[in-house]
């Protein structure tokens, strides 16, 4: 598995792309076996049959390795959502169908990459604090959802809420900027509602990936679609259910 017999550094003395990819692939396997708390450059070196210092040359400490995996997880999951949304838009789907498509794409990614899903949405890793570098990749998921909600608002596909968030706005400037500004009444609290939708989606996935719904419902895929539709009602969006869950 190791890189013995081949160069691990490029012409500038840094690790080659192949070396970086191999180290991260090994680390992802260990995420499933050991969990993020058990991950370390030393563990990766043992698993990949690398010599002393070869992994440290790529990721000098555990936090650097975890950060690289966190960024990749956010990026690959968001890419799956973005591609699903693009396909739905190209097919002329309304916002509700687009939302279901991206939710299904994130679910598929989550089950196919449970170690990485746990890394970014499971329990915090003791002693690890994600640096600022992880913020842009992490923002891609809510950005996909915000784009769909914004499109629904502009197309008149949202039903006005029966009640609004009481008191002053509860948002940080970053959330308003990501959405593209605060809409006027009766949708002035749509960003707060969008955050509820986002958190509901992630919570639903946590329940399904960690087998919290398998003993409660007969068809978890169908239940997922239904739950997304129910959550979307909170922003006044109708999500079609009853179609294929493949």
């Amino acid at each position: 598995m190791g890189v013995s017999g081949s160069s691990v550094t490029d012409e500038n003395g840094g690790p080659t792309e192949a070396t970086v990819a191999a180290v991260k692939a090994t680390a992802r396997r260990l995420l499933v076996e050991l969990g993020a708390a058990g991950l370390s450059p030393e563990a990766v070196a043992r698993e990949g049959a690398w010599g002393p210092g070869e992994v440290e040359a790529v990721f000098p400490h555990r936090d650097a390795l975890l950060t690289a995996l966190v960024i990749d997880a956010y990026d690959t999951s968001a890419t799956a959502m973005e591609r699903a949304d693009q396909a739905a838009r190209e097919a002329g789907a309304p916002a509700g169908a687009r939302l279901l498509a991206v939710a299904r794409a994130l679910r598929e990614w989550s089950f196919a990459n449970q170690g990485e899903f746990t890394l970014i949405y499971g329990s915090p890793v003791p002693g690890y604090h994600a640096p600022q570098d992880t913020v842009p990749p992490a923002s891609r998921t809510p950005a996909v959802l915000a784009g769909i909600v914004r499109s629904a608002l502009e197309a008149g596909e949202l039903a006005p809420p029966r009640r609004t968030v009481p008191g002053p706005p509860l948002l940080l400037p970053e959330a308003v900027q990501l959405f593209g500004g605060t809409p006027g009444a009766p949708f002035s609290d749509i960003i707060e509602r969008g955050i509820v939708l986002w958190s509901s989606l992630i919570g639903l996935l946590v329940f399904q990936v960690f087998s919290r719904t398998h003993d409660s419902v007969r068809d978890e895929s169908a239940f997922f679609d239904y739950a997304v539709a129910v959550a979307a009602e909170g922003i006044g969006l109708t999500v079609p259910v009853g179609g294929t869950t493949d």
Side-chain angles (χ1 to χ4, degrees):
M1 282 192 196
V3 292
S4 300
S6 61
S7 176
V8 299
T9 60
D10 59 23
E11 59 185 10
N12 297 316
T16 64
E17 292 184 6
T19 301
V20 174
V23 169
K24 290 196 291 187
T26 302
R28 290 189 189 98
R29 291 198 300 272
L30 289 179
L31 273 178
V32 177
E33 299 175 16
L34 305 177
L39 198 63
S40 68
E42 295 78 14
V44 173
R46 287 193 299 271
E47 175 69 14
W50 279 285
E54 288 184 318
V55 174
E56 285 84 352
V58 183
F59 299 109
H61 46 75
R62 182 202 69 164
D63 285 9
L65 176 59
L66 284 176
T67 295
L69 297 179
V70 166
I71 289 174
D72 283 355
Y74 279 127
D75 278 338
T76 55
S77 60
T79 296
M81 296 174 70
E82 291 162 356
R83 288 175 176 169
D85 188 35
Q86 181 179 353
R89 284 188 284 110
E90 290 175 351
R98 289 170 57 191
L99 177 62
L100 183 58
V102 302
R104 285 175 171 177
L106 183 58
R107 182 179 188 270
E108 182 178 355
W109 178 90
S110 300
F111 275 98
N113 302 276
Q114 293 189 28
E116 292 167 274
F117 175 86
T118 303
L119 176 62
I120 58 177
Y121 293 123
S123 299
V125 181
Y128 174 72
H129 302 284
Q132 187 67 24
D133 290 352
T134 63
V135 174
S139 298
R140 290 176 61 184
T141 293
V144 174
L145 301 177
I148 293 172
V149 175
R150 168 65 72 176
S151 295
L153 179 62
E154 294 172 349
E157 297 180 40
L158 297 183
R162 289 181 293 178
R163 59 178 294 185
T164 58
V165 174
L170 303 174
L171 300 168
L172 293 173
E174 292 82 358
V176 177
Q177 181 180 9
L178 186 145
F179 189 76
T182 303
F187 299 105
S188 56
D189 65 350
I190 195 65
I191 304 176
E192 287 97 334
R193 291 175 178 276
I195 295 172
V196 173
L197 173 64
W198 173 30
S199 58
S200 297
L201 173 59
I202 299 304
L204 175 62
L205 287 170
V206 167
F207 258 56
Q208 293 214 327
V209 172
F210 298 154
S211 298
R212 297 294 188 267
T213 56
H214 77 281
D215 56 356
S216 302
V217 299
R218 292 194 301 270
D219 186 333
E220 290 191 86
S221 294
F223 179 78
F224 178 84
D225 288 2
Y226 167 76
V228 170
V230 170
E233 290 178 355
I235 60 171
L237 183 62
T238 298
V239 169
V241 292
T244 178
T245 57
D246 293 338

